[in-house]
Amino acid sequence: MPSLLELQRDFLAVMLRRSDPATLGRHLQQRGDLARRIGVYRTNTLENFATALGAAFPVLRAWLGPEDFRAMAWSYQRRHPSQSGNLFNIGRALPPFLAGALAGTPEEWLADLARLEWLVQEAMVAADDTACFDPRALAGVAPMHHGELRFRLHPSVRLATLAHPCFAAWEAHQAGKPPQAPAQAGTEQLLVRRAGEGIELLRLDAGSHACLDALAAGEPLARVVAALEDIAPGSDPGACLAGWATAGVIIGVEPV
Amino acid sequence: MPAVDSLSRPVPATAGIGLRAVHHAEFLASRPAIPWVEVHSENFFADGGRQLAVLDAVRRDYGLSLHGVGLSLGSADPLDQEHLARLQRLVERVEPALVSDHVAWSGVDGVCLNDLLPVPCTAEALVHMAARIGQVQDRLRRQILVENASSYISYAGAEMPEWEFVATLARRAGCLLLVDVNNIHVSACNHGFDPLQYLDAMPPDLVAEYHIAGHSVVEAAGGQLLVDTHDAPVTAAVWTLLEAALARIGRRPVLLERDARLPPLAELVAEARIADTLMDARHALPA
């Protein structure tokens, strides 16, 4: 009998198709129907992975169809096998995997779709925070220190700059319609957040994205204003911040 | 019946159901008259969000069991401390009456297959698993239950039958047992052992829960192979084996597991209550 470690390494290699089933078979009592019995575990390993990945990327799955999605999932699994007993984490590397695999093809937009869906997943499981921004928190801050203020965003807020616009495909899927490939090329900037019991996606103009991006990076107000001015000269930063506070995207301010 | 830490609503010795996401909304809306539910721990490892809010609402009114599939207690790797930390955080949040995982391994060398793979029934594996269960119990500051997994292969170098391994493991680790009656049936058919011999080896004082579930039958040239798919109603053979367990071990919480091709919630609850009928016929619930 091999050691526990040796046995498990042989088992793993067979499951990941790095070794022939005979590698495991030499440790087993079964002889006649070895392939079928090992096949149950191989099927479980593949299907559990593909099912969990499909739950995290439902729009991508709908676009590819179940068979192509499953084939893609297994190909991805060989390069990026799960590293945790928690299957939630397996989707993290899918966007860069697809970006590499689909670069230069008509389907390269799917890497952006995967990026968007992963941000949706992150937003869904982000921490709760019921705080609301209270303007009175600014009352005690001397105007000379306003530029040092750092605002806090809701933990579920995620920002995306996509090279291919995917909002429409995501929105169509939410409505039960088949997702469509982007009609035209062009950058799309989005805000993803949890709202109520679901997920909300908003298209952002360049100024709002610059403002929120700086806030999300923890920049002080002076730099947020400068970022907004760079991208959208003449914009009203006060109105921009007030709008996001009212919407519950900005939920607080750190003490100066 | 062994004592189980219970900081929230208890899990009584009645039928419960595995609560899955597809039934969350209906469960909260209809509040079925079933005293307890079991959920997969890993589905609630989130920092926040809707899923956790559902669990918070459920545990206020129902006994709760956290059933894990990812601790990989039989792996030769070190315990995944991040996984354990998330489990600990969840346990502290929802204070479940029961916490369980499997006599199985899922990966090695940092790669996880996310399946419940059979542990070789050897002295080495016994010592190794008992120590790891001890680590988990120390971290969670409570006893856990470990469940016998179903299997499709058997190791040539096994040093003892699985039932002896499982019973000895529980005694050595100081943990409790979750006896999965369907898994015993599946493995008994696949390996040709007597399921009653398995039940006879389970120490009644350590058995704290039963699982029942449906399975699939795969026909092939090599004969029948039963696969633990949790995608069908409980079979007559498994109900019969549950009755045998009740006779030998006694009345315990019975959990109906269904993970695929889920029926309507009311149908699932009705199927689970068959277990109540069996238990009531044999053992009255203590007043």
Side-chain angles (χ1 to χ4, degrees):
Chain A
M1 185 73 184
S3 71
L4 186 64
L5 178 61
E6 291 165 342
L7 177 68
Q8 293 182 347
R9 282 179 169 162
D10 283 349
F11 205 127
L12 185 87
V14 172
M15 291 299 110
L16 296 178
R17 290 175 161 72
R18 294 171 182 165
S19 293
D20 187 85
T23 305
L24 178 58
R26 63 197 168 122
H27 305 312
L28 304 182
Q29 289 182 9
Q30 285 77 25
R31 289 289 176 264
D33 58 351
L34 183 64
R36 184 170 63 125
R37 288 172 183 262
I38 290 177
V40 174
Y41 291 110
R42 270 186 165 171
T43 300
N44 285 350
T45 296
L46 295 171
E47 290 296 335
N48 290 348
F49 189 90
T51 300
L53 200 67
F57 297 90
V59 190
L60 181 63
R61 186 178 185 278
W63 168 265
L64 291 173
E67 292 308 315
D68 285 353
F69 183 86
R70 192 182 287 117
M72 181 278 295
W74 295 346
S75 169
Y76 171 63
Q77 185 188 32
R78 279 194 288 277
R79 288 282 300 279
H80 298 276
S82 171
Q83 297 178 325
S84 164
N86 179 10
L87 274 163
F88 176 83
N89 298 314
I90 60 173
R92 194 177 305 278
L94 185 62
F97 171 81
L98 289 178
L102 301 174
T105 73
E107 292 189 325
E108 66 180 358
W109 71 281
L110 293 175
D112 272 333
L113 179 62
R115 278 187 61 207
L116 177 59
E117 293 208 88
W118 185 249
L119 294 179
V120 168
Q121 288 298 303
E122 287 188 348
M124 283 172 64
V125 301
D128 298 311
D129 196 329
T130 56
C132 293
F133 177 71
D134 182 352
R136 287 174 297 184
L138 304 178
V141 181
M144 63 182 295
H145 292 303
H146 280 178
E148 301 165 33
L149 290 169
R150 294 175 198 271
F151 292 90
R152 190 157 53 89
L153 303 184
H154 189 275
S156 72
V157 170
R158 298 291 185 276
L159 300 168
T161 298
L162 306 177
H164 304 84
C166 297
F167 182 98
W170 188 86
E171 195 174 40
H173 185 260
Q174 305 315 301
K177 300 173 185 167
Q180 303 291 323
Q184 54 195 20
T187 302
E188 188 172 59
Q189 293 180 311
L190 299 173
L191 178 148
V192 181
R193 68 163 177 164
R194 203 161 64 229
E197 293 185 359
I199 291 291
E200 182 180 55
L201 259 63
L202 295 171
R203 281 197 185 92
L204 299 174
D205 58 43
S208 291
H209 184 270
C211 176
L212 289 170
D213 199 39
L215 289 170
E219 298 285 8
L221 182 56
R223 290 195 185 173
V224 173
V225 171
L228 180 60
E229 185 62 22
D230 278 352
I231 297 293
S235 297
D236 179 354
C240 182
L241 293 172
W244 292 121
T246 303
V249 171
I250 294 173
I251 59 169
V253 61
E254 305 296 343
V256 174
Chain B
M1 177 74 180
V4 175
D5 293 339
S6 180
L7 302 175
S8 57
R9 288 186 177 273
V11 165
T14 62
I17 59 165
L19 181 59
R20 305 297 178 243
V22 70
H23 285 147
H24 282 179
E26 188 184 357
F27 191 92
L28 289 178
S30 66
R31 302 273 169 179
I34 196 155
W36 67 285
V37 300
E38 188 165 278
V39 298
H40 285 159
S41 313
E42 289 80 7
N43 291 344
F44 299 89
F45 276 6
D47 294 327
R50 176 68 185 154
Q51 292 272 84
L52 266 180
V54 167
L55 194 60
D56 287 341
V58 168
R59 55 92 60 185
R60 278 195 288 271
D61 298 323
Y62 293 87
L64 179 65
S65 168
L66 290 183
H67 185 52
V69 293
L71 269 177
S72 195
L73 290 168
S75 170
D77 274 358
L79 272 174
D80 181 341
Q81 292 300 324
E82 185 186 336
H83 193 98
L84 190 51
R86 286 195 175 267
L87 177 60
Q88 181 184 18
R89 187 178 65 165
L90 181 63
V91 166
E92 288 171 355
R93 177 179 179 128
V94 300
E95 297 177 316
L98 303 174
V99 178
S100 56
D101 209 296
H102 294 82
V103 181
W105 66 283
S106 300
V108 71
D109 291 333
V111 173
C112 188
L113 296 170
N114 301 101
D115 193 15
L116 299 168
L117 306 170
V119 175
C121 297
T122 62
E124 180 203 6
L126 193 57
V127 170
H128 178 71
M129 275 200 80
R132 287 161 69 85
I133 293 168
Q135 289 175 45
V136 172
Q137 294 187 139
D138 288 348
R139 180 74 175 262
L140 300 181
R141 295 191 295 275
R142 60 184 297 154
Q143 273 186 304
I144 65 168
L145 289 63
V146 294
E147 175 191 334
N148 57 295
S150 53
S151 65
Y152 316 104
I153 56 166
S154 44
Y155 297 110
E159 295 163 4
M160 64 194 89
E162 183 184 306
W163 48 88
E164 183 183 332
F165 183 89
V166 168
T168 309
L169 177 65
R171 288 195 192 94
R172 284 205 188 173
C175 67
L176 300 170
L177 288 172
L178 193 176
V179 172
D180 191 311
V181 177
N182 178 60
N183 287 351
I184 292 176
H185 174 72
V186 165
S187 295
C189 291
N190 290 342
H191 303 307
F193 63 76
D194 178 2
L196 298 179
Q197 190 176 6
Y198 202 122
L199 288 178
D200 284 338
M202 296 296 101
D205 59 321
L206 296 183
V207 176
E209 184 186 349
Y210 299 117
H211 271 183
I212 50 173
H215 55 261
S216 299
V217 180
V218 179
E219 303 280 357
Q224 267 191 356
L225 193 67
L226 269 52
V227 183
D228 182 27
T229 43
H230 295 187
D231 65 347
V234 176
T235 63
V238 173
W239 285 121
T240 302
L241 195 58
L242 175 63
E243 286 189 292
L246 294 171
R248 285 163 166 76
I249 297 167
R251 182 170 187 148
R252 301 288 186 274
V254 179
L255 191 282
L256 173 61
E257 282 190 303
R258 187 75 178 258
D259 292 299
R261 295 165 63 191
L262 282 153
L265 181 60
E267 202 175 301
L268 196 67
V269 170
E271 187 185 6
R273 287 205 177 114
I274 296 172
D276 279 335
T277 306
L278 295 180
M279 287 190 283
D280 290 345
R282 181 171 294 279
H283 307 273
L285 258 184

